[in-house]
Amino acid sequence: IIFEFKMKLKIILLLIIIFNTNKFSAQDNYFVGFFAEKMNLSTPVGHAFIGIGNGVPLTCDINGNETEMFGFYPEVRLEGGKSIYAGPVNGKIKNDVMTKIDNYHYKKIDFPNYLKVKLKIEEWKEKKYELTKQDCISFFIDVAELFPDLIIPDRTKFTTPDEYVKDFITVNKL
């Protein structure tokens, strides 16, 4: 039943993208945000995550506009570190609205691109977590790749999420 609902949601979102008449994007102010949390006691290597919304970033207003924040995590935190040598573990998309933000950039987008990001988030709800191969930076990159005007920094060497987001901001001169 859950799978059927997700498929129906994806089909509806795709139809809205295909048949969008620009009435949404003309009157609304959609955005995507790219964020990093520095290393600290609760996140020993830091964290990269994304946000989307309509209106003013990082706010809620009386019209119901709000910023939604999402990151990709191992389902069981301790298994995340082990995944680098033991292989993929169960992953999950988590609400990151309370995560500390140390580095960030917002990009204005239209309604169809907002829906593409929502679909990408749904796609990642089914993925496994594997440090350096399919982790929070990988999720961040996958969302950023939806926008051809963004430059995606090289990730062949190990880097912390905060360092990666700083590089992302620098190469895009954001």
Side-chain angles (χ1 to χ4, degrees), residues 125-142:
K125 288 181 178 179
E126 308 300 323
K127 295 198 180 231
K128 297 280 191 178
Y129 182 96
E130 188 172 4
L131 194 60
T132 73
K133 293 182 181 170
Q134 199 157 277
D135 55 12
C136 65
I137 297 174
S138 305
F139 172 63
F140 177 104
I141 290 169
D142 210 19

Side-chain angles (χ1 to χ4, degrees), residues 2 13-14 33 55 67 70 75 88 95 99-100 126 131 147 157 173:
I2 293 173
L13 291 174
L14 283 172
T67 302
F70 301 98
E75 199 169 89
N95 181 340
T99 303
K100 185 175 183 286
E126 308 300 323
L131 194 60
F147 305 97
K157 62 180 177 70
K173 296 174 179 54

